[in-house]
Amino acid sequence: MGASEMYAYHLHNMQVVAEHNGWTPFASMQCHYNLLYREDERELLPVCRPYDMAITPYSPLASGHLARREWHSDSERWKTDEIMKLKYDVVCRLEMNLTSEEVTYLEEPYVAHPVTGRMDYFSCSTKLHENPA
């Protein structure tokens, strides 16, 4: 059973109530998380860690901003999605430029990999630190 986008203290309280009553606790948390919006790292993800919860981010490409070279687009979404603009346009004001290595990395074709077994954010992070490329 999974939970989606809530304050960390709400999640913690629900997990405690589930344990106390013998109910099934949440096994995963879906949250808004990407390279541009990392607020959940401060409170929510640390609450998920002791409960061994899997993290399922939504908007991992920041409404497509992390998938293209230019910030602005001629897409229909760019023209109509005002919420996206409110969330991410502050980044545009930072005037950051990608290095050629970063652009090359973003242009590499996506290769899908099957998900096998239980692997959450914290397990992946630990494995990455144990086996740096």
Side-chain angles (χ1 to χ4, degrees), residues 18-33:
E19 286 179 351
H20 180 75
N21 291 302
W23 301 338
T24 302
F26 291 112
S28 66
M29 169 53 75
Q30 180 185 33
C31 55
H32 182 197
Y33 184 63

Side-chain angles (χ1 to χ4, degrees), residues 51-97:
Y51 293 106
D52 196 28
M53 295 176 68
I55 305 301
T56 307
Y58 65 83
S59 194
L61 294 177
S63 299
H65 289 302
L66 297 174
R68 59 181 169 263
R69 195 181 283 239
E70 300 295 325
W71 187 258
H72 300 287
S73 168
D74 291 331
S75 71
E76 192 64 28
R77 181 176 191 173
W78 175 259
K79 295 173 189 173
T80 60
D81 192 344
E82 295 300 319
I83 301 298
M84 170 196 63
K85 292 176 185 176
L86 290 172
K87 284 194 296 190
Y88 298 117
D89 272 4
V90 68
V91 176
C92 186
R93 287 181 239 142
L94 297 176
E95 296 183 13
M96 296 172 17
N97 294 315

Side-chain angles (χ1 to χ4, degrees), residues 5-13 15 29 31-33 37-51 53 55 121-122:
E5 201 60 53
M6 65 181 72
Y7 292 117
Y9 72 93
H10 285 166
L11 175 63
H12 181 264
N13 289 346
Q15 293 291 66
M29 169 53 75
C31 55
H32 182 197
Y33 184 63
Y37 186 83
R38 299 172 58 186
E39 184 66 25
D40 289 340
E41 288 179 354
R42 196 174 314 179
E43 293 182 7
L44 186 61
L45 298 184
V47 170
C48 294
R49 187 176 293 127
Y51 293 106
M53 295 176 68
I55 305 301
Y121 168 82
F122 305 107

Side-chain angles (χ1 to χ4, degrees), residues 111-123:
V111 177
H113 298 284
V115 177
T116 57
R118 181 160 181 192
M119 183 64 72
D120 58 14
Y121 168 82
F122 305 107
S123 299

